[in-house]
């Protein structure tokens, strides 16, 4: 049974009568809807484009995407990461990621533009290479062994371990003041270097100051530190005439600051209580063309001095005292 309001189906092969009222109304409606469809679609697109932000500026949560529709970087992202975070993990995102932050600029300070060479006395490997370090080298005024093992505390703490630790702390302190610091070695070689090479490193660096770090090994009861200065010597490759005066000033600065910072007294067994000793038999000094001193920070064979030398806190003070002396010498 057909409802009176529904249009009758057209007969096969016949044309639709344009005068029928119900068709006219329906045709007008269809045309109108067709005309409105593109506008509605455009409006929907605009609505979706702006749906990410509400009037209060809070972004609405995105709809979850299917796993297969995500990029490899998004699929591998950690839970809770944002799309931008996920994209940064994908290989393709690396081309558009921001450049890495530049390395921090070197510290500026009173030693800016200055070069300091720090020479950690001996090398722990020397104990296993006695044949190599016993070879004789020319120090200008004589011939001496290439290097020695250095001493130890009665408990076996090696001078070479002490000197390297203090030297690294000293480097840090000097770099904080703006200096360029060169270490003659960092126990990164089996033995040595020879005393001739140690001197050459300072010369080739055109160092403004060179300090060789040591600890003494004399009998118990002999306590305190001393700084060794170059004597005026000339012979062979040795000629210290130009460095004697500035080396003494460097040594005096270090001695004063070392005593004040560490609380250690000048040696009671040489130097007449001044903490300063002049020697002409050390190749590291004889062959240097740059201001240079040695510092013997204490006596490893004395129990009281050894207690200080084996203390990390005291070694930090020792490094700071030496650094302060160098700053006083080079920084005015």
């Amino acid at each position: 049974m057909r409802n009176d309001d529904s249009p009758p189906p057209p007969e096969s092969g016949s044309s639709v009568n344009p005068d029928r009222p119900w068709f006219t109304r329906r045709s007008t409606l269809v045309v109108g809807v067709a005309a409105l469809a593109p506008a509605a679609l455009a409006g929907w697109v605009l609505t979706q484009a702006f749906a990410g932000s509400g009037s209060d500026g809070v972004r609405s949560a995105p709809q979850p995407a299917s796993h297969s529709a995500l990029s490899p970087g998004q699929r591998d992202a950690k839970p809770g990461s944002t799309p931008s975070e996920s994209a940064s993990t994908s290989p393709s995102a690396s081309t558009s990621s921001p450049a890495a932050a530049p390395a921090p600029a070197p510290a500026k300070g009173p030693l800016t533009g200055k070069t300091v060479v720090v020479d950690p006395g001996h090398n722990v490997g020397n104990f296993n290479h006695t044949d190599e370090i016993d070879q004789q080298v020319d120090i200008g005024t004589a011939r001496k062994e290439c290097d020695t093992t250095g001493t130890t505390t009665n408990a076996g703490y090696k001078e070479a371990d002490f000197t390297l630790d203090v030297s690294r702390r000293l480097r840090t302190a000097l770099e904080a003041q703006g200096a360029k610091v060169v270490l003659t070695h960092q126990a990164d070689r089996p033995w040595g270097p020879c005393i001739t090479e140690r001197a050459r490193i300072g010369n080739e660096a055109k160092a403004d100051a060179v300090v060789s770090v040591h600890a003494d090994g004399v009998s118990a009861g002999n306590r305190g530190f001393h700084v060794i200065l170059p004597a005026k010597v000339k012979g062979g490759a040795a000629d210290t005439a130009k460095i004697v005066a500035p080396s003494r000033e460097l040594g005096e600065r270090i001695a004063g600051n070392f005593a004040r910072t560490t609380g250690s007294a000048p040696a009671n067994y040489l130097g007449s209580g001044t903490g300063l000793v002049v020697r002409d038999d050390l190749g590291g000094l004889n062959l240097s063309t740059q201001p240079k001193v040695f510092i013997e920070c204490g006596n490893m064979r004395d129990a009281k001095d050894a207690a200080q030398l084996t203390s990390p806190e005291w070694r930090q003070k020792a490094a700071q005292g030496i650094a302060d002396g160098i700053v006083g010498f080079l920084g005015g």
Side-chain angles (χ1 to χ4, degrees), residues 183-273:
L183 266 62
T184 58
H185 76 98
Q186 294 195 65
D188 49 356
R189 51 192 295 167
W191 54 274
C194 290
I195 53 179
T196 49
E197 184 180 351
R198 292 172 188 265
R200 185 167 64 251
I201 292 171
N203 296 344
E204 291 178 350
K206 300 187 183 303
D208 297 286
V210 185
V211 177
S212 190
V213 180
H214 291 264
D216 215 345
V218 294
S219 58
N222 295 302
R223 296 197 60 196
F225 74 91
H226 64 279
V227 179
I228 304 174
L229 314 176
K232 187 174 181 179
V233 298
K234 184 175 176 62
D239 186 355
T240 62
K242 294 181 179 179
I243 69 167
V244 167
S247 295
R248 171 168 286 275
E249 181 184 353
L250 172 63
E252 290 173 347
R253 295 274 191 170
I254 289 177
N257 282 278
F258 191 87
R260 181 167 52 254
T261 304
T262 64
S264 183
N268 62 7
Y269 58 98
L270 75 178
S272 302

Side-chain angles (χ1 to χ4, degrees), residues 125-300:
N126 286 0
F127 285 90
N128 300 320
H129 293 274
T130 53
D131 289 342
E132 290 87 348
I133 65 174
D134 283 345
Q135 297 177 53
Q136 298 289 297
V137 296
D138 188 353
I139 66 169
T141 57
R143 294 185 68 82
K144 290 188 70 172
E145 55 269 90
C146 156
D147 201 1
T148 64
T149 61
T151 188
T152 68
T153 65
N154 293 331
Y157 179 57
K158 296 180 178 65
E159 179 188 358
D161 286 322
F162 168 82
T163 63
L164 183 58
D165 182 77
V166 172
S167 295
R168 285 171 169 166
R169 295 172 187 269
L170 175 56
R171 175 180 60 187
T172 299
L174 292 172
E175 288 177 341
Q177 298 298 318
K180 174 186 177 183
V181 181
V182 177
L183 266 62
T184 58
H185 76 98
Q186 294 195 65
D188 49 356
R189 51 192 295 167
W191 54 274
C194 290
I195 53 179
T196 49
E197 184 180 351
R198 292 172 188 265
R200 185 167 64 251
I201 292 171
N203 296 344
E204 291 178 350
K206 300 187 183 303
D208 297 286
V210 185
V211 177
S212 190
V213 180
H214 291 264
D216 215 345
V218 294
S219 58
N222 295 302
R223 296 197 60 196
F225 74 91
H226 64 279
V227 179
I228 304 174
L229 314 176
K232 187 174 181 179
V233 298
K234 184 175 176 62
D239 186 355
T240 62
K242 294 181 179 179
I243 69 167
V244 167
S247 295
R248 171 168 286 275
E249 181 184 353
L250 172 63
E252 290 173 347
R253 295 274 191 170
I254 289 177
N257 282 278
F258 191 87
R260 181 167 52 254
T261 304
T262 64
S264 183
N268 62 7
Y269 58 98
L270 75 178
S272 302
T274 64
L276 301 174
V277 177
V278 177
R279 289 177 60 172
D280 63 1
D281 62 331
L282 297 177
L285 295 180
N286 287 1
L287 299 174
S288 181
T289 59
Q290 312 303 122
K292 182 174 183 177
V293 300
F294 280 41
I295 179 167
E296 300 279 359
C297 297
N299 177 19
M300 300 196 90

